[in-house]
Amino acid sequence: MPFMELYIVRHGQTVWNAAGKLQGRADIELNQKGIDAAIALGRRLQGVHFDKIFSSPLKRALRTAQLIRQGVCEAQGLPQDSVPIQTDERLIEMSFGEGEGRLCDEWFAPQSPYRFFFTEPQKFPTPPGGESFEDVSVRTKDFVQKIIEPLYGHAERVMIVAHGALNKGIMRCLKKLELKDYWKDGLQENCQASVFEYDGKIWKTIKA
């Protein structure tokens, strides 16, 4: 097997996404737009076979994974349980602690200590009860090295469905980025799929 493909997908939209609120570990469900987008992504991937899907256990990610799988399996005439979905705590979104539920515009305002979140992540202070970018990087690297990379030679194509900041932590590991480049290529849109290729040693970006 020359390569293994990895699809990294951000969950569909939720009510809090639409309202511009920080979610983090808050377990918010998809809204109708999020449901429709996940179904549409599944249809677009109808000719793509996945050996395994990993998901954050939070409702918005797991439901997205289930809807994508539904579309893929129905198009290929496969039972849905032929493509297992496995949840993992390491894929839960970055915790914003006391910031969860607050409006993003307020939290990232010019006078806020958290204003560096997207622009200079190396200066972002860990919020009370929350996580730092390094905290997220440690657990995403652990997941990649212990769960994903060992699948090389056993799986042709794998999907991860998780969250905005969490997914960038995975990509930081794959691309071997410095902390200052955490947001390289920007935040994924809801239900956006980024694709990578692994040859057993090196990860290559196929679609950012």
Side-chain angles (χ1 to χ4, degrees), residues 75-86:
Q76 298 176 17
L78 297 172
Q80 292 191 43
D81 59 8
S82 67
V83 185
I85 296 176
Q86 180 178 328

Side-chain angles (χ1 to χ4, degrees), residues 48-68:
V48 183
H49 174 75
F50 293 92
D51 298 290
K52 196 172 186 66
I53 299 174
F54 294 93
S55 173
S56 160
L58 296 182
K59 296 173 184 175
R60 59 190 183 272
L62 182 55
R63 182 61 174 148
T64 300
Q66 292 167 338
L67 291 169
I68 293 170

